[in-house]
Amino acid sequence: MKKTKVIQSMTGFGSKEAQIPPFGAVSFELRSINHKGMEVVIHLPDGYASLEGKIKKEIEAKVRRGRITCSMQIVGGKTSRVFFNKELLKEYLGACKDIRSRFKVKGEASLDTLLHLPGVVSLVENKIYAQQMWPRLKKIAVAAINDLVATRKKEGEALYNHVASVARLLDEALDVIKGRFKKSVSERLAKIKTDDERVGFLKDSDITEEVERLTFHINNFQDILHKNGPIGKELDFIAQEMQREANTMAAKSFDVSISAKVIYVKSQIEKIREQLQNIE
């Protein structure tokens, strides 16, 4: 018997808080939901935009698929500094002097007016603080990411158990269908009088190939469940093939009990596909 493999769900949550004197109290929070590929959205305080690439790299080292939203907050820390553009102010003053001289305008610009001119005073990102903090911020970020991965694995274990159990039910249902099909075909052929009718009946109603292909897909599905890395997309593709074979079986079925069992198979495959949407 194969060893149970814990797969990752794409739904999870992780967080970590810590003090980083003298910069302040830092908190990281991550949430993930299902997504076709990998998407990372990071929200950082003013002054820490330069760390976005570093944080994204840490997330992508642990998570392969899903939409990840990460937010960082810092309380009590200094994140930006005032920038005074002296050269620009000189240009403004020169322009004011030219206007007064050219148009005979009286009066002087107040300090308040000068400071509110566009670009004279602004807040700029203090990259020095961000880079100084990164070694300690990284530890907090990694702890939050590990917390996220732990919750994804916990939910992934439940998903694995459910999907694996449904796959076993499909195996059992196929055994029943194979046994019933063999019996019902023999009964029907015994009632047909001509060879042409027998050939026509088998051509329209023989589901042997569909059963064999569906059996192959189920076995392949169970094997993929034990692979390492993201397997959600691969499993969903196999489930689509399983669904296609089941639909063909339903169209060919001439026996009421087989039809009922095929409907059951289709419903179980649909359940699997719903769960697969959340597997990494």
Side-chain angles (χ1 to χ4, degrees), residues 69-263:
T69 303
C70 172
S71 63
M72 181 182 84
Q73 292 183 339
I74 299 179
V75 179
K78 186 176 181 181
T79 60
S80 55
R81 59 185 176 84
V82 176
F83 174 70
F84 175 44
N85 195 330
K86 297 178 183 179
E87 295 301 319
L88 181 60
L89 181 58
K90 285 181 181 179
E91 291 187 25
Y92 277 129
L93 290 172
C96 288
K97 184 178 179 180
D98 183 57
I99 291 171
R100 284 197 302 269
S101 175
R102 187 184 298 256
F103 299 102
K104 309 302 181 184
V105 177
K106 295 182 180 180
E108 297 289 337
S110 67
L111 177 61
D112 182 65
T113 299
L114 292 172
L115 292 179
H116 281 84
L117 290 172
V120 174
V121 178
S122 59
L123 290 176
V124 297
E125 179 182 344
N126 194 333
K127 294 184 179 180
I128 296 176
Y129 280 102
Q131 297 304 322
Q132 286 177 345
M133 288 180 67
W134 174 242
R136 284 180 281 180
L137 281 174
K138 179 179 178 180
K139 293 180 180 179
I140 303 172
V142 169
I145 295 168
N146 288 339
D147 192 23
L148 171 71
V149 171
T151 62
R152 284 165 59 106
K153 284 184 177 179
K154 185 176 181 180
E155 185 172 334
E157 183 176 0
L159 285 172
Y160 170 87
N161 291 332
H162 176 73
V163 171
S165 67
V166 173
R168 288 193 293 270
L169 291 175
L170 289 176
D171 253 341
E172 295 170 2
L174 276 183
D175 286 339
V176 174
I177 290 172
K178 284 188 284 187
R180 177 58 192 171
F181 176 72
K182 184 177 181 180
K183 181 179 179 182
S184 59
V185 165
S186 296
E187 292 173 350
R188 182 63 64 92
L189 288 176
K191 297 177 182 179
I192 298 175
K193 297 180 179 179
T194 68
D195 291 339
D196 289 343
E197 288 180 315
R198 291 190 183 93
V199 171
F201 166 72
L202 291 174
K203 181 180 178 181
D204 294 336
S205 59
D206 190 357
I207 59 173
T208 302
E209 288 188 12
E210 286 76 13
V211 170
E212 289 178 354
R213 285 195 292 264
L214 185 50
T215 300
F216 169 79
H217 290 319
I218 292 172
N219 291 336
N220 191 27
F221 185 93
Q222 292 171 321
D223 289 339
I224 299 298
L225 272 175
H226 296 86
K227 284 179 60 177
N228 292 319
I231 57 175
K233 287 184 178 180
E234 191 171 4
L235 290 176
D236 187 52
F237 176 77
I238 296 172
Q240 290 181 50
E241 295 300 310
M242 291 162 59
Q243 200 168 45
R244 185 175 291 109
E245 298 301 336
N247 287 336
T248 305
M249 288 168 61
K252 285 186 173 183
S253 180
F254 64 92
D255 182 274
V256 175
S257 60
I258 291 178
S259 296
K261 208 65 177 177
V262 172
I263 291 173

